[in-house]
Amino acid sequence: MDTLVLNGAECEPYITADHRMMLEKPDEIIEGAKIILKILGISECHIGIESNKPDAIEVMTRAAAEDGSSIKVQPLQVKYPQGSEKQLIQAVTGRKVPSMALPASVGVVVQNVNTAKAIHDAVVYGKPLYEKVVTISGKGIGRPANLQVKVGTRVSDIVDYLGGLQPGLSKVIMGGPMMGFAVSSLNVPVTKTTSAILFLADDEVDTNPHSQCIRCGWCLDACPMGLEPKEIGIYVEAGRGEDTEPFGVFDCFECGSCAYVCPAKRPLVQFIRMAKMKARK
Ligand code: SF4
Ligand code: SF4
């Protein structure tokens, strides 16, 4: 490995936790990056940040310059899913990670800016990862915010702290609108991997039922991995999820772009998750 890429792209709508972290803790992120570089025995590090966060680009560039390190900040085009590992590596280094391979196969390690901050805290303060910055957003919550919460905090306690639920709440999602999971109860905890909790109102979600695939091909155009989500969906509906490997089901990182563009509102990511389960079995 020769390059560390820090992910500050934060491309999914609504989520701003990494953005706030870069604005408020730039020195800790740079220090965390230097610790990772030392562990890996390399010196090349790029921090990828989407160009819709000019303040974060400025703050991180200044922090790297003041530190005197060789760490470079790289503004990235605003597009989804810019922050996914393989897309980020290509945007930052120009290298393409082959199908089913890990970033290490092209000499790259990717870490999130928040992880760099957590590594700083662990090494410098001896602090384990027992709290997280989580974006709480959507029209269904009284006061949207980025909160630093303890891992294990109940979602219902966060709701109480932020002024309660608002009329018209339609869906609660753990994670972003593209990659998150809907939950049916507020009695669930924040975990180490929770980046956001969204409280979406009626006008923020589409509850229309899905229909048959009309073979428009939009999902193929939208897929950043060049997969065939429509075929996977059709196979799953036919009870043949285990036969979807030729369509690239295991290369899918569940970005949700295919489902977002589908005019038939087909739940393609859910189909893909089901196909993965069946194929693995
Ligand atoms: S976008 Fe939807 S309707 Fe169009 S081909 Fe893909 S799955 Fe079928
Ligand atoms: S979720 Fe859809 S668009 Fe995203 S990688 Fe998987 S198949 Fe492709």
Side-chain angles (χ1 to χ4, degrees):
M1 284 173 284
D2 55 46
T3 305
L4 168 67
V5 174
L6 276 200
N7 186 355
E10 200 165 54
C11 57
E12 209 168 348
Y14 286 91
I15 310 179
T16 53
D18 289 351
H19 189 174
R20 285 270 17 124
M21 187 64 87
M22 288 188 280
L23 292 180
E24 295 188 22
K25 304 286 179 190
D27 297 335
E28 286 87 341
I29 293 171
I30 296 292
E31 202 58 40
K34 284 164 61 185
I35 293 167
I36 302 171
L37 289 173
K38 185 166 182 183
I39 292 167
L40 296 173
I42 59 177
S43 58
E44 180 105 3
C45 173
H46 302 267
I47 306 177
I49 306 174
E50 276 195 342
S51 51
N52 59 355
K53 304 174 194 48
D55 47 358
I57 291 171
E58 191 191 322
V59 167
M60 292 304 304
T61 305
R62 194 167 54 230
E66 280 170 3
D67 185 74
S69 65
S70 59
I71 297 171
K72 297 180 202 76
V73 174
Q74 195 156 328
L76 302 172
Q77 189 188 346
V78 180
K79 69 173 187 193
Y80 184 83
Q82 187 69 282
S84 80
E85 209 165 56
K86 290 184 177 178
Q87 276 66 33
L88 184 67
I89 290 170
Q90 194 170 356
V92 172
T93 67
R95 301 177 199 172
K96 258 190 156 173
V97 183
S99 167
M100 306 288 282
L102 294 171
S105 66
V106 294
V108 179
V109 174
V110 179
Q111 294 292 345
N112 187 272
V113 286
N114 253 308
T115 308
K117 157 76 168 54
I119 287 170
H120 164 271
D121 291 352
V123 174
V124 177
Y125 302 137
K127 179 184 163 188
L129 183 68
Y130 59 78
E131 55 189 7
K132 279 220 69 183
V133 176
V134 179
T135 297
I136 318 293
S137 191
K139 293 181 186 171
I141 188 79
R143 181 170 67 88
N146 280 304
L147 294 183
Q148 183 159 299
V149 297
K150 302 277 186 289
V151 170
T153 304
R154 273 189 313 195
V155 172
S156 56
D157 290 337
I158 294 174
V159 169
D160 291 344
Y161 180 72
L162 292 177
L165 299 174
Q166 298 301 295
L169 174 71
S170 180
K171 226 180 205 183
V172 180
I173 296 178
M174 298 289 281
M178 304 295 281
M179 299 184 75
F181 290 80
V183 292
S184 55
S185 164
L186 297 183
N187 195 18
V188 289
V190 168
T191 71
K192 284 183 181 180
T193 59
T194 307
S195 54
I197 308 169
L198 303 183
F199 297 85
L200 301 180
D202 294 335
D203 61 347
E204 292 175 288
V205 296
D206 187 345
T207 51
N208 286 318
H210 73 270
S211 58
Q212 298 285 311
C213 172
I214 56 169
R215 297 187 183 270
C216 62
W218 289 7
C219 56
L220 281 80
D221 291 341
C223 179
M225 300 299 291
L227 311 181
E228 297 192 52
K230 79 170 171 47
E231 294 299 337
I232 299 171
I234 290 167
Y235 269 63
V236 168
E237 278 184 321
R240 293 181 56 192
E242 61 277 19
D243 297 330
T244 54
E245 220 174 320
F247 307 120
V249 72
F250 286 119
D251 276 320
C252 168
F253 59 96
E254 301 177 15
C255 70
S257 301
C258 52
Y260 182 78
V261 300
C262 176
K265 306 292 167 201
R266 289 172 65 70
L268 294 169
V269 178
Q270 283 80 355
F271 285 147
I272 288 164
R273 285 176 185 153
M274 206 176 286
K276 278 183 186 170
M277 238 158 51
K278 284 200 154 182
R280 281 203 186 102
K281 207 169 159 191

